[in-house]
Amino acid sequence: MTASRIFRVPTAIGLVSAAGLLSALIGDGAFDALSWAALGLPVALIGWHWTR
């Protein structure tokens, strides 16, 4: 298994989280909804894996 395959999903989750943090800082309205969705993704994934 290659390093790019191992770190693909964690990198994507990190980038989505960073985008959520940035959107929470720069705007209101739709940016708030985007930040909640982006920052809720890691929590949702943890919950999904925990119940499996």
Side-chain angles (χ1 to χ4, degrees), residues 3-4 12 17 21 24 26 29 35-36 38-41 46-49 52:
S4 64
S17 296
L21 289 171
I26 63 171
S35 67
W36 274 96
L39 294 173
L41 176 68
I46 289 169
W48 180 69
H49 277 283
R52 284 182 58 194

Side-chain angles (χ1 to χ4, degrees), residues 15-29:
L15 289 174
V16 169
S17 296
L21 289 171
L22 185 64
S23 69
L25 288 173
I26 63 171
D28 286 330

